[in-house]
Amino acid sequence: MSPSHRILELKHAVARHLEWLRQHWWICEIWACAVCIACIVALAMIFWHYDGGTQPHWPVGMTVSSLSAILSNVIEFHLASFLGSILRQLKMLWYTRIHPLKDIKRFDDAASGPVGVVCLIWLQRGRGCASLIGFLLILHYSIGFFIQQAIAIRIADTAAGSSSIPRVMRFDQYTSGQVQQLPTIDLHIQSAIYNGLYNEDISMFEISYNCSTGSCSWPLYSSLGVGSICANLDSDIEATSCSNDTGTSKCLYSLPNGGPSINGVDATLNSTGYLNGSLFSEFPQQLVSFEVIASPGIQNATVSAIACALYLKVNEYSSEVSHGKLSERIVSSYYNSTPLAHGQPDWLIYAPSSNGTPFSMSGMSVFAEANYLWQLFTGTESGTIDQPAYSADVVQVIASSLRSGFLPDRVFNIATMVSNAMRSSGYSPSLNGSMNDSSPNAAFGTASTVQNVIKIRWPWLILPSVLSFMSVLLLVPVVLKMRTEKLERVEPGSLPWIEVAPNDASRECMRKEHGNNSVTQTAEAASYRMNNQRLTYSK
């Protein structure tokens, strides 16, 4: 035998073997089930991989939605093919009992559209495996809709790099003075004090930070800073040495414990600074405290007094940048409430977030700032309300702020601006790091950008998954039933029914019973059942 004949014989043998497998091992149905389940698993893996991520850059503009649409069409096609095949087998099993011949058409119609499916369900009164197949056929038309609904596009911030914002754990900056080389305050701290004192709105003095995308966030972080406190002392004012000249009452107004005083003639406002922290004993680490007493002005009709202090503390911040605008909020603050240890020049604060490392301010820096602030807040106003004279420009701001009721706000602004200046003292925008990195000069966070993000709504995949996995569960009992009834798998088309068509004896028996009626009338009236692999007329 020539090689060509051997190859031809081999092809015929393989074809016969495949045909036998297809006929006896339900290869087409198993393949359809496998494809459906594989597509569901592939969809789940794709959705899991891209859930919360951005659209991938695939060739020819393919997206996750378009790929899912292709897979959903594959599932619908193979599921329809499988359910149609199961219906053909159930049609054969239907005639293992006596039924009208017209039921063949109802099974065929069920495989062609939803109307036929409804008729089949009505025929079976919603019972039996064929009714279940009918319901699944109706539901399988919605697979594509459910899979597409599982994909949602949301606008969200996605990480695009790192960001940094200044912080300080130890502040040790000062300038050696010209007099006896005593430390003096740095110019950037001095500028911060004046910015806070002279500006009602300090939002224009935003702290520097590194956020390349204009949208950044940081975890909670702590930084050394300055706090402020003020208390009204109107009830503590003492009036002594009162006289009544020319019908006008004049007194010496003073604050207790050697505080500032005014007589309403030579001095109309007196501001006195202190270095010993005697005003607010609960804050021993005071950079400065001062008392102000002022005579009546245009806004206030009585003598008023107030005491304020600036003290060292640690602030815990919550910061974020949105649309290029920084938003900061102090979550909590910590300060040292114990008296300062004798001979300890540095001021230390242990905060919960310091992990045992204290926040500190060097003794030289404390001396420089305290000495400057003490002198800054000491001065007088004299003359009259209409023509006042001030010992310094700062006293004019103190006088107007006190009489208008905004002095505590100005002191708070000073504390905020000095805190920001201390934070920025060792910061550089070039500092890089991740959220888990620690630095004494910067806190690191995430820079994000607005992108379209894929959000998978997993409940929408329940129906496609159930339909696909139920196909396997339906195949097993149908195969077992066909083998129990000794019926072979039915191929699509009309040829298999030609093989099982009634024989001459059965047709003759039917004619005697129903006469020469039309085919339609006979199908309506005559009933058949499967007997020895052939439809047999039954009365």
Side-chain angles (χ1 to χ4, degrees), residues 15-272:
R16 286 192 301 270
H17 187 65
L18 290 177
E19 178 64 22
W20 184 86
L21 287 176
R22 186 179 64 84
Q23 184 66 30
H24 293 86
W25 287 95
W26 302 69
I27 294 299
C28 294
E29 288 76 9
I30 294 174
W31 170 257
C33 292
V35 170
C36 290
I37 294 175
C39 288
I40 288 294
V41 173
L43 275 173
M45 294 178 64
I46 293 171
F47 287 172
W48 174 80
H49 181 74
Y50 290 103
D51 188 15
T54 58
Q55 285 282 5
H57 299 284
W58 289 337
V60 299
M62 183 75 72
T63 64
V64 174
S65 296
S66 57
L67 179 60
S68 64
I70 293 174
L71 291 177
S72 65
N73 288 334
V74 173
I75 294 173
E76 287 185 12
F77 173 78
H78 284 82
L79 191 58
S81 174
F82 169 79
L83 294 175
S85 177
I86 296 298
L87 270 181
R88 289 194 299 272
Q89 318 313 317
L90 293 177
K91 179 171 60 174
M92 186 69 74
L93 290 172
W94 180 252
Y95 283 99
T96 56
R97 296 185 179 182
I98 300 173
H99 290 290
L101 195 61
K102 63 179 181 180
D103 290 351
I104 295 177
K105 182 177 182 301
R106 292 185 177 178
F107 274 89
D108 292 339
D109 291 342
S112 62
V115 177
V117 171
V118 174
C119 293
L120 179 62
I121 295 174
W122 178 258
L123 171 67
Q124 302 230 331
R125 298 299 186 267
R127 299 186 298 270
C129 191
S131 295
L132 178 59
I133 295 294
F135 283 117
L136 296 182
L137 274 172
I138 293 176
L139 291 175
H140 104 282
Y141 291 110
S142 62
I143 287 179
F145 170 78
F146 274 75
I147 291 177
Q148 288 301 308
Q149 288 299 311
I151 304 173
I153 305 299
R154 300 283 187 264
I155 297 177
D157 292 337
T158 56
S162 62
S163 60
S164 63
I165 195 166
R167 59 176 295 200
V168 60
M169 292 193 67
R170 175 172 174 80
F171 184 75
D172 185 20
Q173 289 196 359
Y174 56 91
T175 302
S176 297
Q178 297 179 356
V179 180
Q180 298 180 353
Q181 298 297 309
L182 294 176
T184 60
I185 193 171
D186 259 0
L187 287 179
H188 75 285
I189 299 294
Q190 182 178 345
S191 175
I193 293 172
Y194 278 96
N195 284 335
L197 184 63
Y198 281 93
N199 293 278
E200 296 181 8
D201 182 11
I202 60 173
S203 60
M204 65 184 77
F205 303 102
E206 192 175 77
I207 194 169
S208 299
Y209 54 88
N210 180 16
C211 179
S212 57
T213 62
S215 178
C216 298
S217 61
W218 292 270
L220 295 179
Y221 63 94
S222 298
S223 179
L224 192 66
V226 175
S228 67
I229 184 173
C230 290
N232 187 287
L233 300 180
D234 290 352
S235 60
D236 296 334
I237 298 175
E238 299 175 350
T240 59
S241 304
C242 295
S243 63
N244 193 350
D245 296 336
T246 64
T248 303
S249 178
K250 296 181 180 179
C251 297
L252 177 66
Y253 298 97
S254 61
L255 291 173
N257 301 320
S261 61
I262 57 173
N263 57 18
V265 177
D266 298 327
T268 54
L269 181 142
N270 194 343
S271 178
T272 303

